[in-house]
Amino acid sequence: MGEIDRPGGQQPTEHAQPVGRLPVVVVDDLHVKYRVFAGGRAAEGNAAASGLLKRTRGIRTVHALKGITFTAYQNESIGIIGHNGSGKSTLMRAITGLTPPESGAVYASSRPNLLGVGAALLPDLSGENNIILGGLALGFTKREVRELRDEIVAFAELEQFIDLPMRTYSSGMQARLKFSIATAKQHEILIVDEALSVGDKGFRARSEGRIREIRENAGTVFLVSHSMGSIRDTCERTIWIHRGELRMDGPTDEVVRVYEESKGR
């Protein structure tokens, strides 16, 4: 792993390979670039003469991830932290194959599953029918979906609303149902992007417990969150992404402490 400056002149911690665990995701010198249209008119007068506030039209290249390298192992729960725009979600989309790399590579032992707040459910269908469709998409049979139905509804706390169209649900209700459907299946590699930021304290505690169950049953979980409480309670290891670079990778308490100290500078 290359040397990257950390706050206070420290160097990043290199995560040691857990004894007896198999690697399940290898991210090797990953670079991701976006090409986006930049529009606007140039400044006039003194600002234009000084070169300040100059805006141009055309295609702009955004280097979203800059040489990210790490290995995730079986049974790990890994927190992904960083400020807005740091590249966390881009990294997760690259791991799932939704965002192609500019260079470098991602290797996975099985197909990673992405659970995000933006995951699609059909608004005109009832919660009940979305459970059926979501379960079938996860590979369950109709019989298995019927057997899991009550557990999914209870976990999402939607017993009184499950026959109503999804468009009548609040964003929190929708997110609870998405999480409940997605985690009804044991995943080998599960990526949870901000899904624990919704719901009350009780639901967050149950969600964290469900993630621990997946991990303990030989699954590997990535949790992207701005909640350091959820990261500390759920993840044994944390990766800090800063402006597209891997700033730190190590035990959660250590990484979160340095991250929080950096925000005060």
Side-chain angles (χ1 to χ4, degrees):
M1 185 181 299
E3 293 188 353
I4 302 171
D5 289 339
R6 272 171 52 191
Q10 296 172 299
Q11 294 301 321
T13 302
E14 187 167 343
H15 186 70
Q17 177 175 343
V19 177
R21 292 188 185 178
L22 299 175
V24 295
V25 175
V26 176
V27 178
D28 182 20
D29 194 25
L30 180 67
H31 291 259
V32 171
K33 293 182 180 180
Y34 294 115
R35 289 162 183 83
V36 296
F37 179 77
R41 60 188 181 90
E44 299 176 353
N46 292 335
S50 65
L52 297 176
L53 305 178
K54 187 176 181 181
R55 300 175 65 190
T56 59
R57 297 179 183 272
I59 301 299
R60 177 182 175 188
T61 298
V62 178
H63 201 162
L65 296 178
K66 306 170 184 177
I68 302 292
T69 296
F70 67 87
T71 300
Y73 297 91
Q74 192 178 65
N75 294 96
E76 280 195 305
S77 52
I78 302 173
I80 307 294
I81 63 175
H83 301 298
N84 287 332
S86 61
K88 305 184 300 296
S89 293
T90 299
L91 174 59
M92 297 301 99
R93 289 177 61 84
I95 290 175
T96 61
L98 296 173
T99 297
E102 181 77 14
S103 62
V106 176
Y107 306 95
S109 61
S110 62
R111 183 179 179 85
N113 292 278
L114 174 64
L115 166 63
V117 172
L121 292 180
L122 300 180
D124 290 329
L125 295 183
S126 67
E128 182 93 43
N129 286 332
N130 271 291
I131 289 174
I132 295 171
L133 290 178
L136 294 175
L138 286 171
F140 291 118
T141 66
K142 288 184 178 180
R143 178 178 178 180
E144 288 170 332
V145 174
R146 287 195 296 270
E147 292 173 350
L148 289 168
R149 183 263 185 201
D150 290 347
E151 178 185 340
I152 292 171
V153 173
F155 191 91
E157 298 179 324
L158 291 174
E159 291 92 341
Q160 299 178 26
F161 308 99
I162 202 63
D163 59 337
L164 298 178
M166 284 288 297
R167 55 182 163 76
T168 66
Y169 288 14
S170 68
S171 59
M173 294 164 70
Q174 292 183 35
R176 295 202 307 269
L177 184 57
K178 292 171 189 174
F179 185 92
S180 301
I181 294 171
T183 58
K185 181 177 181 178
Q186 174 64 31
H187 299 273
E188 290 187 32
I189 305 169
L190 177 64
I191 297 171
V192 183
D193 193 347
E194 295 293 355
L196 300 188
S197 63
V198 298
D200 58 21
K201 184 176 180 180
F203 179 75
R204 288 197 296 273
R206 294 200 310 279
S207 300
E208 291 163 4
R210 178 67 62 85
I211 287 176
R212 285 191 289 269
E213 288 176 11
I214 292 172
R215 182 194 69 203
E216 289 163 2
N217 288 314
T220 299
V221 181
F222 294 90
L223 172 61
V224 181
S225 181
H226 288 288
S227 169
M228 295 303 102
S230 292
I231 293 291
R232 280 193 172 103
D233 290 343
T234 311
C235 303
E236 57 196 14
R237 171 186 175 190
T238 293
I239 292 173
W240 172 15
I241 304 297
H242 181 69
R243 295 181 179 176
E245 297 180 342
L246 194 157
R247 177 60 62 90
M248 192 173 179
D249 176 2
T252 289
D253 286 343
E254 179 185 354
V255 176
V256 169
R257 176 182 58 78
V258 177
Y259 172 70
E260 292 182 325
E261 288 173 355
S262 76
K263 294 193 294 185
R265 293 187 174 91

